[in-house]
Amino acid sequence: MTDPIATHAGADSIIRMEAVNKWYGTFQVLTDIDLSVRTGERIVICGPSGSGKSTLIRCINRLETVQKGKIVVDGIELTAGGKNVDAVRAEVGMVFQQFNLFPHLTILQNCTLAPMRSRGMSKEEAEQVAMKYLSRVRIPEQAHKYPSQLSGGQQQRVAIARALCMSPKIMLFDEPTSALDPEMVKEVLDTMIGLAEDGMTMLCVTHEMGFARSVADRVIFMADGKIVEQAPPGEFFAQPKHEKTRQFLGQIL
Ligand code: ADP
Ligand code: MG
């Protein structure tokens, strides 16, 4: 592909995936994925269920390994072996559909655990950092409650704050609003918009097309383990090139 938006080749790419192929057993889940992401770029990934979206972003923090191809994240080559995993996890924050908070820890403890364990922060410093980000997602008053005492939207904002406590350079979101009641979607999207405005490099798997239109620099459409097309949102929604994209947009818009 020679589309300049698609390649962004060069030193300013914070993520580079080259000819990435992955199989689960004999099932090929990712086929020839080429993707470069610039620092500060905001990408929305959409596509039918089962198209490989989660698998693709999970490869970026090595929750999944690949059998073929190259992945480089902020200069760290993930495909070089196991020893780079901790380095990359410290730079890449991830937010899941099912919040994944530790139920037996308070909100504050959820946020301080990783900075104390992997960044060697003191409890005092970690708590200061945690309160800063809990304020930023507008729930500092919930710090001493447990996850089950919070609404879904609040839990998801905690999950975002928890990721931010590690000072990530990249944030990955995997359908962060899909498990939420409709009235809570906006508060989570607003938090994500705030992050985008602050210049965070973001890859978001989401079907929130309003979010894609207002925040994304680029929308990527996946089907059957491949990147079918990608374009800035204006172009992507106005003139989808592929029949599969048109079908998909017809179903969700
Ligand atoms: P999406 O996020 O687009 O819905 P996924 O990346 O979750 O897609 O999954 C892509 C395909 O890979 C699906 O067909 C799914 O069933 C399969 N798959 C996902 N994870 C595994 C796994 N751990 N083992 C085997 N197959 C998997
Ligand atoms: Mg998924």
Side-chain angles (χ1 to χ4, degrees):
M1 200 183 273
T2 53
D3 181 353
I5 306 164
T7 48
H8 290 308
D12 65 343
S13 292
I14 190 163
I15 300 169
R16 254 175 36 234
M17 301 179 93
E18 292 171 10
V20 167
N21 287 267
K22 175 176 176 63
W23 290 260
Y24 289 121
T26 56
F27 172 69
Q28 183 155 15
V29 60
L30 295 177
T31 303
D32 295 332
I33 300 289
D34 287 308
L35 174 65
S36 288
V37 179
R38 280 178 285 117
T39 301
E41 198 177 6
R42 291 146 319 189
I43 292 185
V44 161
I45 302 173
C46 61
S49 179
S51 55
K53 306 178 298 294
S54 295
T55 303
L56 186 145
I57 64 165
R58 289 165 65 88
C59 289
I60 296 170
N61 66 350
R62 220 167 186 281
L63 285 174
E64 299 286 351
T65 55
V66 304
Q67 287 88 359
K68 221 174 116 192
K70 186 169 167 178
I71 304 176
V72 183
V73 177
D74 198 31
I76 305 164
E77 182 162 358
L78 299 189
T79 32
K83 61 182 184 297
N84 293 330
V85 174
D86 290 344
V88 82
R89 296 256 170 93
E91 297 201 3
V92 183
M94 180 139 184
V95 174
F96 303 88
Q97 184 175 342
Q98 303 292 346
F99 332 132
N100 290 6
L101 298 175
F102 300 113
H104 59 293
L105 298 181
T106 65
I107 300 312
L108 187 63
Q109 289 167 336
N110 264 277
C111 292
T112 56
L113 185 69
M116 286 166 63
R117 287 218 180 139
S118 3
R119 292 245 191 249
M121 267 189 212
S122 68
K123 185 163 176 251
E124 292 67 32
E125 190 188 355
E127 287 183 349
Q128 223 172 23
V129 171
M131 289 312 297
K132 178 176 104 180
Y133 287 113
L134 288 172
S135 300
R136 178 140 165 218
V137 302
R138 291 177 288 111
I139 37 176
E141 73 284 358
Q142 308 292 341
H144 298 287
K145 292 193 182 162
Y146 287 87
S148 62
Q149 297 174 288
L150 271 57
S151 72
Q154 289 174 325
Q155 290 188 55
Q156 195 57 301
R157 284 188 280 150
V158 171
I160 294 171
R162 180 176 65 173
L164 293 175
C165 286
M166 290 290 281
S167 312
K169 292 186 177 170
I170 298 164
M171 283 287 286
L172 307 175
F173 293 88
D174 193 355
E175 304 207 34
T177 60
S178 300
L180 296 177
D181 291 333
E183 71 271 21
M184 292 169 190
V185 169
K186 185 174 180 297
E187 66 192 60
V188 171
L189 292 179
D190 284 346
T191 306
M192 294 166 66
I193 290 168
L195 263 185
E197 285 168 351
D198 289 348
M200 179 65 79
T201 305
M202 295 166 64
L203 279 84
C204 312
V205 175
T206 181
H207 293 158
E208 292 290 339
M209 292 298 134
F211 174 81
R213 276 180 202 278
S214 61
V215 171
D217 299 302
R218 185 164 33 140
V219 182
I220 291 178
F221 175 71
M222 286 186 74
D224 306 321
K226 298 183 190 120
I227 293 179
V228 174
E229 70 177 282
Q230 49 186 323
E235 186 184 329
F236 181 84
F237 292 111
Q239 301 148 343
K241 292 188 189 72
H242 287 261
E243 181 52 33
K244 280 181 184 165
T245 317
R246 286 192 286 270
Q247 259 175 20
F248 175 76
L249 290 175
Q251 282 162 7
I252 65 160
L253 291 180

